[in-house]
Amino acid sequence: MVGKVTIIDHPLVQHKLTLMRQVETHTQDFRRLLKEISMLLAYEVTRDLPLKYEVIQTPLTTTKAPMLAADRKMVIVSILRAGQGLLDGMLELIPTAKVGHIGLYREPSTLVAVEYYFKLPEEIDQRDLLVVDPMLATGNSAVAAVDRLKETHPTSIKFVCLLASPEGIEHFHEQHPDVPIYTAAIDEGLDEHGYIMPGLGDAGDRLYGTK
Ligand code: URA
């Protein structure tokens, strides 16, 4: 089974992504752009949410109108720390979502993902998960996060990022072909340190002004 990849190529997303890539874009603009893009990503990622028709009263008449099905509960799982940059915008669009966090860091010599934090809301077995991390680079963190999340038996999982590498997509879908990936772009590849090229640098550092 080959996993599904959706590229969100909306012109607004692509324009804002280009601004984020530019080295002269400062922290405050980078953060704002990521938040704006995350709302546009959330819009696309939630396109298949089921609707239920409810009888409502307008000022003029009674009618049946679509509303989100209340029994589909969503959890946004942020992979720390850069995932936080996608979280806030998504929560503005999906305010009823609960939030989980997974802390993973890349061991610098091996690039293997090491878990240091894991906290989820209750009843994950009745919830749809959106796992968010701006950069799908080697895929090690994404695979490790989804490995852990599958242990909690959620209803569904989608992985949402800003930039992906071909290697990261391949690695992720080797392990989790059932989890669709949503990304704004697929770049050329990885450099020897596991950074996405041409990329945008270290998303966490650019988001928080660290080095
Ligand atoms: N993480 C980042 O923040 N940037 C990359 O290019 C790869 C991983």
Side-chain angles (χ1 to χ4, degrees), residues 102-205:
I102 300 187
L104 295 167
Y105 69 88
R106 296 206 297 177
E107 212 288 307
S109 56
T110 60
L111 304 182
V112 166
V114 182
E115 181 184 310
Y116 63 89
Y117 189 76
F118 187 81
K119 186 99 178 167
L120 295 181
E122 290 180 337
E123 300 175 334
I124 286 293
D125 59 341
Q126 298 164 38
R127 296 182 191 275
D128 297 305
L129 304 190
L130 296 180
V131 183
V132 300
D133 189 352
M135 310 299 271
L136 180 62
T138 61
N140 290 342
S141 302
V143 167
V146 173
D147 282 346
R148 278 292 269 127
L149 291 167
K150 281 188 173 174
E151 291 170 12
T152 66
H153 306 292
T155 314
S156 70
I157 306 180
K158 291 175 179 171
F159 186 84
V160 187
C161 59
L162 179 65
L163 276 187
S165 71
E167 299 92 321
I169 291 173
E170 192 182 337
H171 178 43
F172 184 78
H173 273 159
E174 262 166 28
Q175 302 300 316
H176 297 296
D178 54 322
V179 177
I181 296 170
Y182 294 79
T183 182
I186 302 173
D187 272 11
E188 287 162 20
L190 299 177
D191 73 2
E192 67 276 22
H193 305 293
Y195 279 90
I196 296 177
M197 297 294 284
L200 49 72
D202 187 298
D205 281 347

Side-chain angles (χ1 to χ4, degrees), residues 22-115:
Q22 290 175 313
V23 68
E24 61 268 27
T25 298
H26 292 298
T27 303
Q28 73 181 51
D29 291 323
F30 188 92
R31 198 183 295 144
R32 174 183 51 78
L33 288 161
L34 186 56
K35 184 172 180 183
E36 289 169 3
I37 290 184
S38 68
M39 291 190 214
L40 297 164
L41 298 182
Y43 177 80
E44 284 296 330
V45 168
T46 52
R47 192 173 273 286
D48 60 353
L49 281 182
L51 293 170
K52 272 190 186 156
Y53 278 78
E54 308 233 337
V55 178
I56 60 155
Q57 182 74 44
T58 76
L60 301 175
T61 187
T62 301
T63 187
K64 273 189 164 185
M67 296 188 87
L68 288 174
D71 55 342
R72 293 300 289 266
K73 297 181 186 140
M74 200 170 287
V75 173
I76 304 172
V77 181
S78 163
I79 301 183
L80 296 173
R81 71 185 158 145
Q84 295 299 101
L86 286 173
L87 179 64
D88 292 344
M90 290 205 167
L91 279 175
E92 282 198 16
L93 223 63
I94 319 166
T96 55
K98 299 210 172 188
V99 177
H101 290 96
I102 300 187
L104 295 167
Y105 69 88
R106 296 206 297 177
E107 212 288 307
S109 56
T110 60
L111 304 182
V112 166
V114 182
E115 181 184 310

